[in-house]
DNA sequence: CCGCATCCTAAACGATACTG
DNA sequence: CAGTATCGTTTAGGATGCGG
């Protein structure tokens, strides 16, 4: 657990710190029903730079929402998947999506 | 609707843009079952400065999650309450809170 | 293939003082 | 009471190039 937790006195804030940020929601969502390799994620999350992808994945990993499995092969292979804690968020993200979709179509 | 919507191609991002930020979740939450005056909100959201409170309320208002009612009295009185769209978010925030609480007690 | 290092910009947030 | 105004700090995010 990182430093942010210490000051996250409020559960709402705590949750937002963990799944907020520009790409975390999208990454968790695309990982919802299968693991993915780094390159697959890079293609799936349109517009993300390698730096941000790595950085975001590291944060998700530190928060134990995503796990990282390295295969010692050449060429390298790394797979990312949701942890059980991460999976608990999927229904929640699903609802967020529904709400978002509904709002977006209000025009 | 503001400019952010245009680039929010993804519903997850769209939702996060609307309820993310340091205080939005907390403000929506404290407004869940009654309207509140500016000063009440200021006391309820510990640590917020008047600048951030006003700024955040204006954004929530622009996104039609909160409505602002001004009473033309002396001294001034302004009441904030959830709109129906804002109310739709409450069950979602409730779940976020539950998840957050559960995670926070994992230590 | 899967990153890391460096530098940089922009946006969010904060401190403080003041006002109709 | 319910805000504004100004300025400063901090952090998130982006561009680009290199490396095992």
């Amino acid at each position: 657990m990182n430093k942010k937790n210490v000051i996250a006195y409020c559960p709402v804030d705590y949750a937002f710190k963990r799944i907020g940020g520009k790409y975390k929601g999208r990454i968790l969502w695309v990982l919802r029903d299968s693991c993915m390799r780094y390159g697959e994620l890079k293609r799936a999350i349109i517009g993300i730079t390698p730096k941000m992808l790595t950085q975001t994945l590291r944060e998700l990993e530190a928060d134990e929402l995503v796990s990282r499995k390295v295969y010692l092969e050449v060429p390298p292979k790394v797979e990312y998947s949701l942890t059980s804690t991460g999976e608990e968020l999927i229904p929640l993200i699903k609802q967020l999506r529904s709400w978002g979709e509904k709002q977006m179509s209000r025009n």
Side-chain angles (χ1 to χ4, degrees), chain A:
Chain A
M1 293 288 184
N2 61 38
K3 229 180 334 179
K4 288 181 178 176
N5 300 24
V6 182
I7 57 165
Y9 36 87
C10 167
V12 181
D13 284 2
Y14 179 98
F16 272 125
K17 289 225 171 64
R18 270 163 190 55
I19 61 176
K22 192 164 181 180
Y23 303 105
K24 287 187 179 177
R26 285 165 71 191
I27 291 177
L28 293 170
W29 182 247
V30 299
L31 284 175
R32 67 190 178 285
D33 43 25
S34 64
C35 63
M36 290 179 81
R37 296 180 58 171
Y38 182 90
E40 290 182 290
L41 280 168
K42 177 123 182 41
R43 283 186 296 277
I45 313 293
I46 309 281
I48 198 169
T49 61
K51 181 202 150 183
M52 284 310 296
L53 179 53
T54 301
Q55 182 179 309
T56 308
L57 285 169
R58 292 290 181 279
E59 289 173 15
L60 291 170
E61 202 190 345
D63 287 338
E64 297 173 65
L65 300 181
V66 156
S67 71
R68 179 172 181 263
K69 179 163 188 186
V70 182
Y71 295 85
L72 295 175
E73 306 171 357
V74 180
K77 176 178 172 184
V78 182
E79 279 183 351
Y80 294 91
S81 59
L82 296 183
T83 63
S84 59
T85 308
E87 281 173 4
E88 290 175 30
L89 283 169
I90 294 302
L92 230 148
I93 294 176
K94 202 165 191 169
Q95 281 187 263
L96 267 173
R97 282 180 57 87
S98 305
W99 183 85
E101 274 170 6
K102 189 173 165 189
Q103 293 310 115
M104 288 171 78
S105 63
R106 269 196 343 156
N107 302 331

